[in-house]
Coordinates of all heavy atoms in Angstrom, one line a residue:
M683 N 0.9 -1.2 0.0 CA 0.0 0.0 0.0 C 0.9 1.3 0.0 O 1.9 1.3 0.6 CB -0.9 0.0 1.3 CG -1.8 1.1 1.3 SD -3.4 0.7 2.0 CE -4.3 0.2 0.4
A684 N 0.5 2.2 -0.7 CA 1.2 3.5 -0.8 C 1.2 4.2 0.4 O 0.6 3.8 1.4 CB 0.6 4.4 -1.9
N685 N 2.0 5.3 0.6 CA 2.0 6.2 1.7 C 0.6 6.8 1.9 O -0.2 7.0 0.9 CB 3.0 7.4 1.6 CG 4.5 6.8 1.5 OD1 4.8 5.7 2.1 ND2 5.3 7.5 0.7
D686 N 0.3 7.2 3.2 CA -1.0 7.8 3.5 C -1.4 9.0 2.6 O -2.5 9.1 2.2 CB -1.1 8.2 5.0 CG -1.1 7.1 5.9 OD1 -1.2 5.9 5.4 OD2 -1.1 7.3 7.2
G687 N -0.4 9.7 2.3 CA -0.6 10.9 1.4 C -1.0 10.5 -0.1 O -1.6 11.3 -0.7
D688 N -0.6 9.3 -0.5 CA -0.8 8.8 -1.9 C -2.1 8.1 -2.0 O -2.5 7.6 -3.0 CB 0.3 8.0 -2.3 CG 1.6 8.7 -2.3 OD1 1.6 10.0 -2.4 OD2 2.7 8.0 -2.2
L689 N -2.9 7.9 -0.8 CA -4.1 7.0 -0.8 C -5.3 7.9 -1.1 O -5.3 9.2 -0.9 CB -4.2 6.4 0.5 CG -3.2 5.5 0.8 CD1 -3.3 4.9 2.3 CD2 -2.9 4.3 -0.1
K690 N -6.4 7.2 -1.6 CA -7.6 8.0 -1.9 C -8.7 7.3 -1.1 O -8.8 6.1 -0.9 CB -8.0 7.6 -3.4 CG -8.6 8.8 -4.1 CD -8.7 8.6 -5.6 CE -9.6 9.6 -6.1 NZ -9.9 9.6 -7.5
V691 N -9.5 8.2 -0.5 CA -10.7 7.7 0.4 C -11.8 7.1 -0.5 O -12.3 8.0 -1.4 CB -11.1 8.9 1.3 CG1 -12.3 8.4 2.1 CG2 -10.0 9.4 2.1
L692 N -12.1 5.9 -0.2 CA -13.2 5.4 -1.0 C -14.5 5.5 -0.3 O -15.5 5.8 -0.9 CB -12.9 3.7 -1.0 CG -13.9 2.9 -1.7 CD1 -14.1 3.3 -3.2 CD2 -13.6 1.5 -1.6
A693 N -14.4 5.4 1.1 CA -15.7 5.5 1.8 C -15.4 5.8 3.2 O -14.3 5.6 3.7 CB -16.5 4.2 1.8
Q694 N -16.4 6.4 4.0 CA -16.2 6.8 5.4 C -17.4 6.2 6.2 O -18.5 6.2 5.7 CB -16.2 8.3 5.4 CG -15.8 8.9 6.8 CD -15.5 10.3 6.6 OE1 -14.8 10.8 5.8 NE2 -16.0 11.1 7.7
F695 N -17.0 5.7 7.4 CA -18.0 5.2 8.2 C -17.9 5.6 9.7 O -16.8 6.1 10.1 CB -17.8 3.6 8.3 CG -17.9 2.9 7.0 CD1 -16.7 2.8 6.1 CD2 -19.1 2.5 6.4 CE1 -16.9 2.2 4.9 CE2 -19.2 1.9 5.3 CZ -18.0 1.8 4.4
E696 N -19.0 5.6 10.4 CA -18.8 6.0 11.9 C -18.6 4.7 12.7 O -18.3 4.8 13.9 CB -20.2 6.4 12.3 CG -20.6 7.7 11.7 CD -21.9 8.3 12.3 OE1 -22.5 7.7 13.1 OE2 -22.2 9.5 11.9
D697 N -18.4 3.5 12.1 CA -18.2 2.3 12.8 C -16.8 1.6 12.3 O -16.9 1.4 11.1 CB -19.4 1.4 12.7 CG -19.3 0.2 13.6 OD1 -18.4 -0.5 13.6 OD2 -20.3 -0.1 14.2
E698 N -15.9 1.3 13.1 CA -14.7 0.7 12.7 C -15.0 -0.7 12.1 O -14.3 -1.1 11.1 CB -13.7 0.6 13.9 CG -12.4 -0.1 13.4 CD -11.4 -0.2 14.7 OE1 -11.9 0.0 15.8 OE2 -10.3 -0.5 14.4
I699 N -16.0 -1.4 12.6 CA -16.3 -2.8 12.1 C -16.7 -2.7 10.7 O -16.3 -3.5 9.8 CB -17.4 -3.4 13.0 CG1 -16.7 -3.6 14.4 CG2 -17.8 -4.7 12.5 CD1 -17.7 -4.1 15.5
E700 N -17.7 -1.7 10.4 CA -18.2 -1.6 9.0 C -17.0 -1.4 8.0 O -16.9 -1.9 7.0 CB -19.1 -0.5 8.9 CG -20.5 -0.8 9.5 CD -21.4 0.4 9.3 OE1 -21.4 1.3 10.2 OE2 -22.2 0.4 8.4
A701 N -16.1 -0.4 8.4 CA -15.0 -0.1 7.7 C -14.0 -1.3 7.4 O -13.6 -1.6 6.3 CB -14.1 1.0 8.2
S702 N -13.9 -2.1 8.5 CA -13.0 -3.4 8.4 C -13.7 -4.4 7.5 O -13.0 -5.1 6.7 CB -12.8 -3.9 9.8 OG -12.0 -3.0 10.5
I703 N -15.0 -4.5 7.4 CA -15.7 -5.4 6.6 C -15.5 -5.0 5.1 O -15.2 -5.9 4.3 CB -17.2 -5.4 7.0 CG1 -17.3 -6.1 8.3 CG2 -18.0 -6.1 5.9 CD1 -18.8 -6.1 8.9
V704 N -15.6 -3.8 4.8 CA -15.4 -3.3 3.6 C -13.9 -3.5 3.0 O -13.7 -4.0 1.9 CB -15.8 -1.8 3.3 CG1 -15.3 -1.2 2.0 CG2 -17.3 -1.6 3.5
K705 N -13.0 -3.2 4.0 CA -11.6 -3.5 3.7 C -11.4 -5.0 3.3 O -10.7 -5.3 2.4 CB -10.7 -3.1 4.8 CG -9.2 -3.4 4.7 CD -8.5 -3.1 6.0 CE -7.0 -3.4 6.0 NZ -6.7 -4.8 6.0
G706 N -11.9 -5.8 4.1 CA -11.8 -7.3 3.9 C -12.4 -7.7 2.6 O -11.9 -8.5 1.9
M707 N -13.5 -7.1 2.3 CA -14.3 -7.5 0.9 C -13.3 -7.1 -0.3 O -13.1 -7.8 -1.2 CB -15.6 -6.8 0.9 CG -16.4 -7.2 -0.4 SD -16.2 -5.8 -1.7 CE -16.6 -4.3 -0.9
L708 N -12.8 -5.9 -0.1 CA -11.9 -5.4 -1.2 C -10.7 -6.2 -1.4 O -10.4 -6.7 -2.4 CB -11.5 -3.9 -0.8 CG -12.6 -2.9 -1.0 CD1 -12.0 -1.5 -0.4 CD2 -13.0 -2.7 -2.4
E709 N -10.0 -6.6 -0.2 CA -8.9 -7.4 -0.2 C -9.2 -8.9 -0.8 O -8.3 -9.5 -1.4 CB -8.1 -7.5 1.1 CG -7.6 -6.1 1.4 CD -6.8 -6.1 2.8 OE1 -7.0 -6.9 3.7 OE2 -6.0 -5.2 2.9
A710 N -10.3 -9.4 -0.4 CA -10.7 -10.6 -0.9 C -10.9 -10.7 -2.4 O -10.9 -11.8 -3.1 CB -12.0 -11.1 -0.3
N711 N -11.1 -9.5 -3.0 CA -11.2 -9.4 -4.4 C -9.9 -8.8 -5.1 O -9.9 -8.2 -6.3 CB -12.5 -8.5 -4.7 CG -13.7 -9.2 -4.6 OD1 -14.1 -10.0 -5.4 ND2 -14.3 -9.1 -3.4
G712 N -8.8 -8.9 -4.4 CA -7.6 -8.5 -4.9 C -7.1 -6.9 -4.9 O -6.3 -6.6 -5.5
I713 N -8.0 -6.2 -4.1 CA -7.6 -4.7 -4.0 C -7.1 -4.5 -2.6 O -7.7 -4.7 -1.7 CB -9.0 -3.9 -4.3 CG1 -9.5 -4.2 -5.7 CG2 -8.7 -2.4 -4.1 CD1 -10.8 -3.6 -5.9
S714 N -5.9 -3.9 -2.7 CA -5.1 -3.6 -1.4 C -5.9 -2.4 -0.8 O -6.2 -1.4 -1.5 CB -3.7 -3.2 -1.7 OG -3.1 -2.9 -0.5
A715 N -6.3 -2.4 0.5 CA -7.0 -1.4 1.1 C -6.5 -1.2 2.6 O -5.9 -2.1 3.1 CB -8.5 -1.8 1.2
G716 N -6.9 0.0 3.2 CA -6.6 0.2 4.5 C -7.7 0.9 5.2 O -8.6 1.4 4.6
V717 N -7.6 0.9 6.5 CA -8.7 1.7 7.3 C -7.8 2.7 8.2 O -6.9 2.4 8.9 CB -9.4 0.7 8.2 CG1 -10.3 1.6 9.2 CG2 -10.1 -0.3 7.5
L718 N -8.3 3.9 8.0 CA -7.7 5.0 8.8 C -8.8 5.6 9.7 O -9.9 5.8 9.2 CB -7.1 6.1 7.9 CG -6.2 5.8 6.9 CD1 -5.7 7.0 6.1 CD2 -4.9 5.2 7.6
G719 N -8.5 5.8 10.9 CA -9.5 6.4 11.9 C -9.1 7.1 13.1 O -7.9 6.9 13.5
D720 N -9.8 7.8 13.7 CA -9.6 8.6 15.0 C -10.6 8.5 15.9 O -11.6 9.3 15.8 CB -9.2 10.0 14.6 CG -8.8 10.7 15.8 OD1 -8.6 10.1 16.9 OD2 -8.6 11.9 15.8
N721 N -10.8 7.4 16.6 CA -11.9 7.1 17.5 C -12.0 8.2 18.7 O -13.1 8.6 19.1 CB -11.9 5.7 18.1 CG -13.2 5.2 18.4 OD1 -14.3 5.7 18.0 ND2 -13.3 4.2 19.4
V722 N -10.8 8.6 19.2 CA -10.9 9.4 20.4 C -11.4 10.9 20.0 O -12.2 11.3 20.6 CB -9.4 9.5 20.9 CG1 -9.4 10.5 22.2 CG2 -9.0 8.1 21.4
A723 N -10.7 11.5 19.0 CA -11.2 12.9 18.6 C -12.5 12.9 18.1 O -13.3 13.8 18.4 CB -10.2 13.4 17.6
S724 N -13.0 11.9 17.4 CA -14.3 11.9 16.9 C -15.4 11.6 17.9 O -16.5 12.1 17.7 CB -14.4 10.8 15.7 OG -13.6 11.1 14.6
A725 N -15.0 10.9 18.9 CA -16.0 10.6 20.0 C -16.3 11.9 20.7 O -17.5 12.0 21.1 CB -15.3 9.7 20.9
L726 N -15.5 12.8 20.8 CA -15.9 14.1 21.4 C -16.9 14.9 20.6 O -17.7 15.6 21.1 CB -14.5 15.0 21.6 CG -13.6 14.3 22.5 CD1 -12.2 15.2 22.5 CD2 -14.1 14.2 23.9
M727 N -16.8 14.7 19.3 CA -17.6 15.5 18.3 C -18.9 14.7 18.0 O -20.0 15.3 17.9 CB -17.0 15.8 17.1 CG -15.9 16.8 17.3 SD -14.9 16.9 15.7 CE -15.9 17.1 14.4
H728 N -18.9 13.3 18.0 CA -20.0 12.5 17.6 C -20.6 11.7 18.6 O -21.5 10.9 18.3 CB -19.6 11.7 16.3 CG -19.1 12.5 15.2 ND1 -19.9 13.2 14.3 CD2 -17.8 12.7 14.7 CE1 -19.1 13.8 13.4 NE2 -17.9 13.5 13.6
G729 N -20.1 11.7 19.8 CA -20.7 10.8 20.8 C -19.8 9.7 21.0 O -19.1 9.2 20.2
L730 N -19.8 9.1 22.2 CA -19.0 8.0 22.6 C -19.2 6.9 21.7 O -20.2 6.5 21.3 CB -19.2 7.5 24.1 CG -18.1 7.9 25.0 CD1 -17.8 9.3 25.2 CD2 -18.2 7.1 26.1
G731 N -18.1 6.2 21.4 CA -18.2 4.9 20.7 C -18.1 5.1 19.2 O -18.1 4.1 18.5
K732 N -18.2 6.3 18.8 CA -18.4 6.5 17.3 C -17.1 7.3 16.9 O -16.6 8.2 17.6 CB -19.6 7.3 17.0 CG -20.8 6.5 17.1 CD -22.0 7.2 16.6 CE -23.3 6.2 16.6 NZ -24.4 6.9 16.0
G733 N -16.6 7.1 15.7 CA -15.6 7.7 15.1 C -15.7 8.0 13.6 O -16.8 7.7 13.1
Q734 N -14.6 8.4 13.1 CA -14.7 8.6 11.6 C -13.6 7.7 11.0 O -12.5 7.9 11.2 CB -14.5 10.0 11.1 CG -15.6 11.0 11.5 CD -16.9 10.6 10.9 OE1 -17.0 10.4 9.7 NE2 -18.0 10.5 11.7
W735 N -14.1 6.6 10.4 CA -13.2 5.5 9.8 C -13.3 5.6 8.3 O -14.3 5.6 7.7 CB -13.6 4.2 10.4 CG -13.5 4.2 11.8 CD1 -14.6 4.4 12.7 CD2 -12.4 3.9 12.7 NE1 -14.2 4.4 14.0 CE2 -12.9 4.0 14.0 CE3 -11.1 3.5 12.4 CZ2 -12.0 3.8 15.1 CZ3 -10.2 3.4 13.4 CH2 -10.7 3.5 14.8
K736 N -12.1 5.8 7.7 CA -12.1 5.9 6.3 C -11.4 4.7 5.7 O -10.3 4.1 6.1 CB -11.2 7.2 6.0 CG -11.8 8.4 6.4 CD -10.9 9.6 6.1 CE -11.5 10.9 6.7 NZ -10.7 12.0 6.5
V737 N -12.0 4.2 4.7 CA -11.4 3.1 3.9 C -10.6 3.7 2.7 O -11.2 4.5 2.0 CB -12.5 2.1 3.4 CG1 -11.8 1.0 2.5 CG2 -13.2 1.4 4.5
V738 N -9.4 3.4 2.6 CA -8.5 4.0 1.6 C -7.9 3.0 0.6 O -7.7 1.8 1.0 CB -7.4 4.9 2.3 CG1 -8.0 6.1 3.0 CG2 -6.5 4.0 3.2
V739 N -7.7 3.4 -0.6 CA -7.1 2.5 -1.6 C -6.0 3.3 -2.4 O -6.1 4.6 -2.3 CB -8.2 1.9 -2.5 CG1 -9.2 1.0 -1.8 CG2 -8.9 3.0 -3.2
N740 N -5.3 2.6 -3.1 CA -4.3 3.1 -4.0 C -5.1 3.9 -5.1 O -6.1 3.4 -5.6 CB -3.4 2.1 -4.7 CG -2.4 1.6 -3.5 OD1 -1.8 2.4 -2.8 ND2 -2.2 0.3 -3.5
P741 N -4.6 5.1 -5.6 CA -5.4 5.7 -6.7 C -5.7 4.9 -7.9 O -6.8 5.0 -8.5 CB -4.5 7.0 -7.0 CG -3.7 7.1 -5.7 CD -3.5 5.8 -5.2
E742 N -4.8 4.1 -8.2 CA -4.9 3.2 -9.5 C -6.1 2.2 -9.2 O -6.5 1.6 -10.2 CB -3.6 2.6 -9.9 CG -3.0 1.7 -8.9 CD -2.0 2.3 -8.0 OE1 -2.0 3.6 -7.9 OE2 -1.2 1.6 -7.4
D743 N -6.3 1.9 -7.9 CA -7.4 0.9 -7.7 C -8.7 1.5 -7.4 O -9.8 0.7 -7.2 CB -6.9 0.0 -6.4 CG -5.7 -0.8 -6.7 OD1 -5.5 -1.3 -7.8 OD2 -4.9 -1.1 -5.7
F744 N -8.8 2.8 -7.4 CA -10.0 3.5 -6.9 C -11.2 3.1 -7.7 O -12.3 2.8 -7.2 CB -9.9 4.9 -6.9 CG -11.0 5.7 -6.3 CD1 -11.2 5.8 -5.0 CD2 -12.0 6.2 -7.2 CE1 -12.3 6.6 -4.4 CE2 -13.1 6.9 -6.6 CZ -13.2 7.0 -5.3
D745 N -11.2 3.1 -9.0 CA -12.4 2.9 -10.0 C -12.9 1.5 -9.6 O -14.0 1.2 -9.6 CB -12.0 3.2 -11.3 CG -11.8 4.7 -11.6 OD1 -12.3 5.6 -10.9 OD2 -11.2 5.0 -12.6
A746 N -11.9 0.5 -9.7 CA -12.3 -0.9 -9.4 C -12.9 -1.1 -8.1 O -13.9 -1.8 -7.9 CB -11.1 -1.8 -9.7
A747 N -12.3 -0.4 -7.1 CA -12.8 -0.6 -5.7 C -14.3 0.1 -5.5 O -15.1 -0.6 -5.0 CB -11.9 0.1 -4.8
E748 N -14.4 1.3 -6.2 CA -15.8 1.8 -6.2 C -16.7 1.0 -6.8 O -17.9 1.0 -6.4 CB -15.6 3.3 -6.8 CG -16.9 4.1 -6.7 CD -16.8 5.5 -7.2 OE1 -16.2 5.6 -8.3 OE2 -17.1 6.4 -6.5
E749 N -16.5 0.4 -8.0 CA -17.5 -0.4 -8.8 C -17.7 -1.6 -7.9 O -18.9 -1.9 -7.7 CB -16.8 -0.9 -10.1 CG -17.7 -1.7 -10.9 CD -17.2 -2.0 -12.2 OE1 -16.3 -1.4 -12.7 OE2 -17.7 -3.1 -12.8
L750 N -16.8 -2.2 -7.2 CA -17.1 -3.4 -6.4 C -17.9 -3.0 -5.2 O -18.9 -3.8 -4.9 CB -15.7 -4.0 -5.9 CG -15.7 -5.3 -5.2 CD1 -16.3 -6.4 -6.0 CD2 -14.3 -5.6 -4.7
L751 N -17.6 -1.9 -4.6 CA -18.3 -1.4 -3.4 C -19.8 -1.1 -3.7 O -20.7 -1.3 -2.9 CB -17.8 -0.2 -2.8 CG -18.4 0.4 -1.5 CD1 -18.3 -0.6 -0.4 CD2 -17.7 1.8 -1.2
N752 N -20.0 -0.6 -4.9 CA -21.4 -0.3 -5.4 C -22.2 -1.4 -6.1 O -23.3 -1.2 -6.6 CB -21.4 0.9 -6.3 CG -21.0 2.2 -5.6 OD1 -21.2 2.4 -4.4 ND2 -20.1 3.0 -6.1
T753 N -21.6 -2.6 -6.2 CA -22.3 -3.7 -6.8 C -23.2 -4.4 -5.8 O -22.7 -4.9 -4.8 CB -21.2 -4.7 -7.4 OG1 -20.4 -4.1 -8.3 CG2 -21.9 -5.9 -8.0
P754 N -24.5 -4.5 -6.2 CA -25.4 -5.2 -5.2 C -25.0 -6.6 -5.0 O -24.5 -7.3 -6.0 CB -26.8 -5.0 -6.0 CG -26.5 -4.2 -7.2 CD -25.1 -4.1 -7.4
I755 N -25.3 -7.2 -3.9 CA -25.0 -8.5 -3.6 C -26.2 -9.4 -4.1 O -27.3 -9.1 -3.8 CB -24.9 -8.8 -2.0 CG1 -23.6 -8.0 -1.5 CG2 -24.8 -10.2 -1.7 CD1 -23.5 -7.9 0.0
E756 N -25.8 -10.3 -4.8 CA -26.8 -11.2 -5.5 C -27.1 -12.4 -4.5 O -26.1 -13.1 -4.0 CB -26.4 -11.7 -6.9 CG -26.4 -10.8 -7.9 CD -26.0 -11.1 -9.2 OE1 -26.1 -12.4 -9.5 OE2 -25.5 -10.4 -10.1
E757 N -28.3 -12.7 -4.2 CA -28.6 -13.9 -3.4 C -28.8 -15.0 -4.3 O -29.3 -15.1 -5.3 CB -29.9 -13.6 -2.5 CG -29.9 -12.5 -1.6 CD -31.2 -12.3 -0.9 OE1 -31.9 -13.2 -0.9 OE2 -31.4 -11.2 -0.4
E758 N -28.2 -16.3 -3.6 CA -28.2 -17.5 -4.3 C -29.6 -18.1 -4.1 O -30.2 -18.0 -3.1 CB -27.2 -18.4 -3.8 CG -25.8 -18.0 -4.1 CD -24.8 -19.0 -3.6 OE1 -25.2 -20.1 -3.5 OE2 -23.6 -18.6 -3.3
D759 N -30.1 -18.6 -5.3 CA -31.4 -19.4 -5.2 C -31.2 -20.7 -4.5 O -30.2 -21.4 -4.7 CB -32.0 -19.6 -6.5 CG -32.4 -18.4 -7.3 OD1 -32.8 -17.4 -6.5 OD2 -32.5 -18.3 -8.6
E760 N -32.2 -21.0 -3.7 CA -32.0 -22.4 -2.9 C -32.4 -23.5 -3.8 O -32.5 -24.6 -3.4 CB -32.8 -22.3 -1.6 CG -32.1 -21.3 -0.6 CD -32.8 -21.3 0.7 OE1 -33.5 -22.2 1.0 OE2 -32.7 -20.4 1.4
G761 N -33.0 -23.3 -5.0 CA -33.5 -24.2 -5.9 C -34.8 -24.6 -5.7 O -35.5 -24.1 -4.7
D762 N -35.4 -25.4 -6.5 CA -36.8 -25.8 -6.5 C -36.9 -27.0 -5.5 O -36.2 -27.9 -5.6 CB -37.3 -26.2 -7.8 CG -37.3 -25.1 -8.8 OD1 -37.4 -23.8 -8.3 OD2 -37.5 -25.3 -9.9
E763 N -37.9 -26.9 -4.5 CA -38.0 -28.0 -3.6 C -39.4 -28.5 -3.7 O -40.3 -28.0 -4.0 CB -37.8 -27.4 -2.1 CG -36.4 -27.1 -2.0 CD -36.1 -26.8 -0.5 OE1 -36.6 -27.2 0.4 OE2 -35.2 -25.9 -0.4

């Protein structure tokens, strides 16, 4: 992953878990990603337990990551019973 200054913010969340899930989904699809956040400073502004967590990617991966993030999840059919 590039230096923090070279990264592009893909999405922002108030919950570290949500950001981590998105990061994992991206990495499972071959896109290097990271989570940047500041829970302490954000808690003072947004209430306890909440922060501003950013999912970041390399600029060259941004378009593919954005498309993947915006692709609806298809449910599998359980078949005819």
